Structure formats: structure tokens, C-alpha cells
Amino acid sequence: MISNSNGVQGGQVYFEMADGVAILRIENPPVNAGSYAVRQGLVGAIAKATEHQASGAIILGVGKCFVAGSDLREFGQPLKTPELPDVIRAIEDAPFPVVAALHGVALGGGLELALGCDYRIAALNTKVGLPEVSLGFVPGAGGTQRLPRLVGIAKAVDLICAASRISTRHAQEIGLIDAVSDGDILTDALAFLKSQTRSKRLAISQPVPADAEGAIDAATAKAIKRGKGRPNVTEAIRLVKAATGDAVQTLADERAVFQEMRLSEDAFALRHLFFAERSAATVDDVDPKLAGDVTTVGVIGGGTMGQGIARACLNAGLKVTVVEQNDEALAKSTSAIAQNFTAQVERGKRSVEQVNALLNALTGALELEKVAKCDLVIEAVFEDLDVKIELLAKLETVLAKNAIIATNTSYLNINEMVRQLSRPERVIGLHFFSPADVMKLLEIVRTDRTSDAVLATGLKLARRLGKQPVVAGVGEGFIGNRIYAAYRRRAELLVLDGATPQDVDAAITQFGFAMGPFAVSDMSGLDIAWAMRKRKASERSPEARYVTIPDSLCEAGRLGRKTGKGWYDYSNKTPEPDPVVEAIIAEARTEAGIAPQTYDTETIQRQLLAAMINEAALLLSEGIAKHPSDVDVTLTNGYGFPRWRGGPIYWAATQDRAKVRADIADLEIAIGQGFRTGPLDETLDQIDTPQKV
Ligand code: NAI
């Protein structure tokens, strides 16, 4: 680790005088996080520049970016001085103008540092933003006060509450940066500094520009809706609106809110996820340098998933060939892909030219040979092992030796799928979620034979597609679907034993999920799980508890939203409880000899969580997931688990352990025959909780 001139670890600031101008270079690899050492280095360098009677100063980052944010690891503990506001005060008090020269990214504390300078110049392709709200707190070094003074209240509310990252051009348009550099950033920053006639021009001394009528209210309403009632969002809005007031007071107000909120439960949970997501994107025993480039992708099967996968790849600038079985299916598939893009033009999200360019990169085909030159081929044909085995064998004869074959199977055993292949090491699971161009999660399934290079390429591709990867081993349902199945089973047993579907859905939405398990089933259709249950009927133990209600719903033609009825009735668009369902449930209870119990909201929530946690502990012990935090990443990115709760494992690790044990004991009673207990302590002890920090 690099230490600064005072020997403090965690980065340093290089100081140099060039032509009367002080050049301050921040170096704290890999992303120049604004650590204690960097803050100290900056304060020291500003003092040095004053001693040297510099005519101006330029702050820039060494390596791939300016400053990607403050060092989040410091945020769970008491902060050491100088804190970031102290650094900014030193810059503002300096007798010369300071220019922040941005490249790569300037986020969070990095952008606040830049906002504290007199001027900002940014290289093309720089991304700037204040992501603090997405981490459970608020900007704390003047972001909520200086940003509105440059861009107005409405835009500041929008940018801060959406935690947006915006481009150099966008930032220039709204007045966040003063100049754009399309050459060497330092040379351009020096020229810019020379061209400034005024000495100081601090953001904090500017009046807040007036907003268009109604703009502030509109931005506020949008932010509140998006913020789902989280207290830091409400506070961020209040602070930005206060920017018209006295700066000394409002900066102090912001700092106090920041100090409180960085130690809030939400902030600890979201920091856990921040590090969990980074760790999930790498594999300890695989060298990322082995990754190859993917520029051309074949998609076999252009149904629901194939279309989404094709769009995700096109969005990332890849060339895509979709192969279907016949003309009709192919035409349906390519026109559905095109229609989705065209709708984006109508919504103003893309220009006609952009959509045309995307569609030019798309080819439709009926012959497998048309994907012969692709770097990677993803199959998304029917969920049938024999169909997939046959397809993979054909692909092997068509593709180049080093091309990768991926399967999007949801449940099937990929080890079985590759058994007959001569090059099984080139096969990987890429399990996308529906809709594949929207959902963040991508489970990357490493079979017993997948090579390290293929896995590394899969992880690199995930990044290119803007997905959050999680590596899983082969096992029914991998990580996410397996845990979801345990959760859904518990939900159905709760209904059999006395709860109503609406009780269960309400309890889980109160916990923070967007939808409950029964509303989700109705949305995705009850027939898929029905078909699976029928297929597996012979494997079921006769002593195991079995909930017949979903079968009865399907037999009655209630397949969910697509038939207008499922667990709920959708005649009036919104889901409404239905007496027919009540009768089916009552009948199932009578048949099973059950005297219905009543369940309160907390019991329902804790039982559903216990089911997830126990299943997660089991699959971790089987090596299907590597780290407990991978489960949290999976459930929050693919299944609607509320991010601000950190994921099921983090949630459980922060609860009273005896209570979690009691929940699992109750779960065992409810499940009965066939229940297996996962290693709870071993799983939860691996999580860093606020108590441990
Ligand atoms: P789908 O039924 O909508 O699409 C399958 C498509 O594959 C059909 O258009 C069919 O004509 C085509 N097809 C079948 N055999 C073919 C062949 N030999 N050559 C070319 N095309 C062929 O199915 P869906 O929902 O898109 O699922 C596809 C795969 O993705 C399955 O393995 C499924 O388990 C998996 N999956 C599905 C998810 C979902 O939410 N629907 C989520 C994640 C994975």
C-alpha cells in the first residue's frame, strides 16, 4: 500500500510546481478513493502551494480516474480529521483559483471535492455523480449545497436522489462543469486556468439559479416515488431545497445529517452490498487476465429469453445472430426485438439513427451454420434436457474450436448436458433473468468442467452487458431459483395452514419487496411450476407435505394474469381476492385435516426469511454458492429483496441469533418430512455486521 509523505497508509498526493502553477496529483490505486491519507495529502499540498505563492492549482487523479468516491471502509467508524469538508475549506480559503481536472469518474466525495474547487474541466467520457443516496446516506461534504448553486434545485434533487452518473457533455450542458478536454487533460486544464481572468469563483458563493415553474415540485414528486420512503431520500430533498439559505448553516445541517445517516442501519446494509457486489464479480482462483473478448454473439431460440438476451447484447454494442426453428418463429422474434427498440424512440430514450444502428447489428437465421463465426453462442431453447443435449452436440460441429457455448437453462443439470461433448470445458451457464435486457442479475454457472478462461470471459462479458454477475455451481435452480423455490414453498404452506394469499403478500411487501410471492406467481404464470411438479411427481415422497392448491388453480384454468385469474382475480386490473380461491383453499385444508391457524405479519415475514436463509445455508455448504454475500447479491439483484436490508443473509446476521434459530425450528415443524437444516452459524458468522465493525 502506498503511504503519503507523513507515512500514513492509503494513498498520497504528489506536489509539483509548473510555471507558477501547483499541480496536485492524487494517487490511491485502484480508483483513488478519498482516504484519510489522501485528505491529509491534499491539505498539505494546498498549504505548500500557498507557500510557493502559486498563481493557481490543478487537482487531478493518477491512473484511470479522478476520484471514484470516499473510502467507504472508513464510513462505519469515527472519521479522522482532516475530513473532506476541511479539505474543501482549505481549497476555498486558498488565495489562488483551483481547477479540478476530471477524467474517468468523479463520484461521491470525488465530485464534492471538484465542486469545492473554483472550476471544473472534464475529459470526454468522464462520468460524474453523487451516489450517496443509493448507499443509505446523503452527500456530506457540500454536495447538496454546491450542486444546486450550479445547476438549480430541480436538477440537483433529481441527480442526487436518483444517484445518477452523467456524462461530460450532460454535465457541461447543465453547468456542472466549465470546460471539456478532448486532449491531454493537464495541458487543457493549464490552458483553461490561464484563460480565466477572475481569480476565485467558488460554487458556494453563487446564488441558486431560478428553476422553471413547477420543476422543483415535479423533481420532488419523482424522487419521493423512487425513494420508497427511505429517510435519507427525504432528507436529501430537504437539504437541497435549503440551499437558498445561509451557507454556513446549511453546510453544518448537511454534515450533521450525513454523520448520523452514514451510521444508519440502511447505510451499513448498503455498504455490505456494495462490497458484496464487487466480490461477486471476481473469482478467487481465476485470473481475470485469462478473459477473452466477445464481439459477436449467437442466440439460439428467439423466444421470451432469447429476445431479451439479444437486446442486452445489442445494447452493449455486440453483433448478434438469432437462430429460430422456422420462418414464422424467426419473424416473430426479430420483429419483437425491433418493436421494443422502436418503443424507446417513442419514449424519447433513443434516436431513430441509434435504433437503426442497433438493428443493423442484428441478423436472423434459420441455420445453425450462421453462428459459425461467433465468439460465443447462448442457447435459450425450450427447457428440455434432451433438446439441449442435441443442440449442443450440433453446435460443437459448427463452431470454431475456441468459441464459447453458453446455456440459459433455469434448472437443468449442465454437467449432464455437456457429458457427450468433446470440449466440455468451453461450456458455461449464463442464466439471465426476465426481461433479460432489464434485470441486473446474471448467474454464471461453472460446471465441473468449465475452464478458467471461459469463466473469466463470462465475467468480463457480464461487465460489458452492465450485469451483476454471481458465480454458481451446478445444482437444481442454482442459487436464486433454489432459494426462491424454498421461499415459495413456505408461502404455500402458510396458506394451507391458515394464512390468506393476501396476508402473505402484504407481509412481504411491508418488509420491502415490490411484490409478494402469490402476485409474482400470477405474473409469471402458474403453468411453468405446474408442469415441473407433474414431471417430478414420481420423485416426491408420499410422506412429504404437499400443497395441492396451485394444482387446483391450474386445473380450474387459473394460470395467473395471462388468463385473468390465478391466486387473485384481475377482472378489474388490480389483484383482488376471489371467493373461488378461498373455496379451493378451504377444500385443501379439509382434505389435509388442517385446523387453520392465524399468523401475524411478523411471523409470516420471519418464516419466509427463515426458509430463504436455511436453503442458502444448505447450498453454501454444498458449494453451489461460494460466499454468503453472493446470496445477498443474487436475491437483491434478481428477486426484489429490498436492497436497504442488505439481503437475507445480512439481515439474518444482524438479528438476534436465538430468534433466528427459533424461526428455523418452527420452519422445520411446518415443513416436516424431508426437512434438512443448513449450517446457520457457519453461514452468518462470515458476515461483517455493524456490531462487529
Ligand atoms: P420460449 O418458449 O419463449 O422460447 C424458446 C424458443 O426457442 C422458441 O421460440 C422456440 O421456437 C425456440 N427453439 C426451440 N428449439 C430450437 C432450436 N433447436 N433451434 C432454434 N430455436 C429453437 O422459452 P423461454 O422462456 O425464452 O426460455 C428459454 C430458456 O430460458 C429455457 O431454458 C428457460 O428455462 C430459460 N429461462 C427462462 C426464463 C423465463 O423467465 N422465461 C428465465 C431464465 C431462463
Side-chain angles (χ1 to χ4, degrees):
M1 177 156 295
I2 296 178
S3 52
N4 75 358
S5 48
N6 300 333
V8 179
Q9 293 210 318
Q12 62 187 336
V13 175
Y14 295 103
F15 177 87
E16 179 195 347
M17 289 297 295
D19 205 10
V21 175
I23 317 283
L24 280 56
R25 286 190 177 83
I26 299 172
E27 185 180 42
N28 185 16
V31 293
N32 298 334
S35 61
Y36 166 54
V38 166
R39 298 196 298 271
Q40 221 183 28
L42 282 169
V43 170
I46 290 288
K48 234 189 219 174
T50 311
E51 273 168 35
H52 282 75
Q53 299 191 334
S55 60
I58 291 170
I59 305 180
L60 70 163
V62 176
K64 63 181 177 191
C65 64
F66 179 69
V67 172
S70 298
D71 191 339
L72 278 184
R73 272 171 297 237
E74 295 179 5
F75 275 23
Q77 299 153 5
L79 290 174
K80 287 195 244 177
T81 49
E83 296 185 21
L84 188 52
D86 303 324
V87 177
I88 292 173
R89 203 164 306 118
I91 292 170
E92 291 187 331
D93 289 347
F96 45 79
V98 182
V99 177
L102 317 177
H103 77 287
V105 291
L107 299 172
L111 183 60
E112 290 186 298
L113 173 66
L115 289 168
C117 295
D118 297 86
Y119 303 97
R120 286 146 297 281
I121 176 169
L124 278 171
N125 302 325
T126 306
K127 290 273 192 237
V128 302
L130 293 172
E132 288 82 351
V133 163
S134 68
L135 289 161
F137 50 103
V138 297
T144 66
Q145 302 307 302
R146 293 188 181 88
L147 185 63
R149 284 176 161 84
L150 296 178
V151 307
I153 304 260
K155 288 198 186 78
V157 164
D158 203 31
L159 290 174
I160 291 172
C161 294
S164 318
R165 292 171 174 218
I166 60 169
S167 66
T168 304
R169 289 284 179 221
H170 186 176
Q172 189 186 29
E173 264 164 43
I174 62 173
L176 205 171
I177 59 165
D178 305 288
V180 176
S181 157
D182 55 5
D184 176 63
I185 181 79
L186 179 56
T187 312
D188 289 348
L190 280 165
F192 174 84
L193 185 61
K194 286 230 165 76
S195 72
Q196 293 309 309
T197 45
R198 279 193 296 171
S199 173
K200 298 290 282 180
R201 202 199 61 191
L202 297 172
I204 204 70
S205 320
Q206 315 289 317
V208 174
D211 275 287
E213 208 185 313
I216 299 177
D217 288 346
T220 305
K222 208 162 123 192
I224 287 175
K225 187 157 177 246
R226 208 191 290 110
K228 300 199 179 96
R230 302 322 299 154
N232 66 326
V233 177
T234 326
E235 280 296 84
I237 297 169
R238 180 183 71 74
L239 289 164
V240 172
K241 286 186 175 171
T244 47
D246 171 60
V248 175
Q249 271 178 29
T250 55
L251 282 170
D253 185 7
E254 181 205 65
R255 190 69 186 165
V257 174
F258 162 81
Q259 292 288 25
E260 187 192 325
M261 293 216 153
R262 74 180 171 87
L263 298 170
S264 65
E265 283 180 18
D266 284 19
F268 272 105
L270 288 160
R271 273 197 292 275
H272 159 75
L273 268 186
F274 178 88
F275 291 113
E277 286 173 348
R278 265 142 201 82
S279 130
T282 58
V283 178
D284 300 342
D285 59 336
V286 171
D287 182 354
K289 289 199 199 81
L290 293 172
D293 282 323
V294 172
T295 52
T296 48
V297 174
V299 178
I300 317 298
T304 311
M305 291 311 289
Q307 290 162 23
I309 294 168
R311 282 196 302 270
C313 293
L314 291 167
N315 283 334
L318 305 174
K319 282 205 156 86
V320 178
T321 302
V322 173
V323 180
E324 255 296 347
Q325 305 196 89
N326 52 52
D327 285 323
E328 196 190 332
L330 182 61
K332 199 170 149 202
S333 178
T334 48
S335 75
I337 296 170
Q339 244 170 37
N340 182 291
F341 284 138
T342 315
Q344 293 177 11
V345 177
E346 281 152 24
R347 289 201 306 271
K349 290 204 153 177
R350 277 194 159 119
S351 68
V352 177
E353 294 75 33
Q354 283 169 326
V355 165
N356 286 342
L358 289 175
L359 293 176
N360 279 339
L362 174 70
T363 312
L366 295 175
E367 309 83 23
L368 271 191
E369 288 70 21
K370 291 279 163 60
V371 298
K373 293 206 170 72
C374 289
D375 304 316
L376 179 138
V377 173
I378 306 173
E379 75 75 18
V381 301
F382 304 127
E383 184 76 342
D384 180 305
L385 188 61
D386 293 334
V387 171
K388 298 206 190 240
I389 288 177
E390 196 188 322
L391 174 63
L392 262 50
K394 280 194 202 147
L395 278 172
E396 211 173 32
T397 62
V398 169
L399 294 177
K401 282 197 182 115
N402 54 356
I404 296 174
I405 302 177
T407 170
N408 183 47
T409 181
S410 312
Y411 287 96
L412 299 174
N413 186 322
I414 311 179
N415 285 332
E416 293 265 321
M417 221 184 273
V418 304
R419 195 149 288 152
Q420 309 292 330
L421 298 182
S422 53
R423 289 174 172 272
E425 66 279 3
R426 63 151 103 181
V427 178
I428 191 169
L430 290 182
H431 183 215
F432 288 83
F433 289 74
S434 184
D437 53 334
V438 176
M439 295 294 289
K440 266 268 207 228
L441 184 64
L442 179 61
E443 280 184 321
I444 300 196
V445 187
R446 185 183 197 177
T447 74
D448 293 349
R449 309 291 297 274
T450 306
S451 75
D452 287 359
V454 168
L455 183 58
T457 307
L459 286 162
K460 189 172 169 188
L461 177 67
R463 252 197 320 278
R464 170 122 195 219
L465 299 180
K467 301 291 178 200
Q468 170 63 55
V470 174
V471 176
V474 173
E476 172 131 352
F478 312 115
I479 301 174
N481 279 350
R482 175 159 160 195
I483 293 173
Y484 195 81
Y487 160 81
R488 194 168 62 191
R489 176 161 162 70
R490 185 66 192 104
E492 288 174 0
L493 282 167
L494 279 165
V495 169
L496 183 64
D497 291 338
T500 63
Q502 48 278 19
D503 288 341
V504 174
D505 280 357
I508 213 68
T509 49
Q510 271 177 45
F511 183 81
F513 278 80
M515 285 169 96
F518 298 107
V520 169
S521 289
D522 276 354
M523 197 177 68
S524 33
L526 270 60
D527 45 332
I528 303 168
W530 189 31
M532 180 130 88
R533 285 193 300 275
K534 282 196 267 191
R535 249 195 335 265
K536 300 207 154 193
S538 61
E539 295 166 26
R540 213 166 33 234
S541 153
E543 285 94 54
R545 296 192 73 194
Y546 183 74
V547 185
T548 54
I549 304 163
D551 292 346
S552 307
L553 292 172
C554 291
E555 281 154 18
R558 306 180 66 110
L559 303 182
R561 276 183 186 261
K562 60 181 159 191
T563 56
K565 289 181 165 77
W567 288 94
Y568 297 98
D569 184 331
Y570 295 89
S571 309
N572 298 321
K573 291 246 157 73
T574 49
E576 281 167 18
D578 186 338
V580 177
V581 178
E582 282 163 27
I584 290 175
I585 294 171
E587 199 185 317
R589 285 176 188 154
T590 311
E591 259 176 38
I594 286 164
Q597 309 172 38
T598 49
Y599 294 97
D600 60 27
T601 300
E602 195 192 350
T603 306
I604 294 173
Q605 291 171 340
R606 294 190 70 99
Q607 277 301 291
L608 292 176
L609 279 145
M612 286 189 240
I613 297 153
N614 187 61
E615 200 62 34
L618 281 170
L619 64 83
L620 279 155
S621 69
E622 295 161 18
I624 304 292
K626 280 276 177 263
H627 312 108
S629 61
D630 292 347
V631 170
D632 290 339
V633 175
T634 305
L635 271 289
T636 50
N637 283 281
Y639 294 83
F641 195 102
R643 284 185 73 80
W644 51 273
R645 291 207 190 254
I649 306 294
Y650 178 84
W651 177 84
T654 57
Q655 301 295 302
D656 174 356
R657 190 69 60 89
K659 217 167 159 202
V660 177
R661 255 186 229 113
D663 293 337
I664 293 189
D666 289 345
L667 175 72
E668 177 165 11
I669 295 167
I671 303 274
Q673 212 265 343
F675 181 81
R676 288 191 299 141
T677 315
L680 183 71
D681 289 330
E682 222 175 293
T683 305
L684 302 189
D685 288 348
Q686 291 179 55
I687 300 288
D688 281 336
T689 57
Q691 296 93 317
K692 284 196 207 162
V693 171

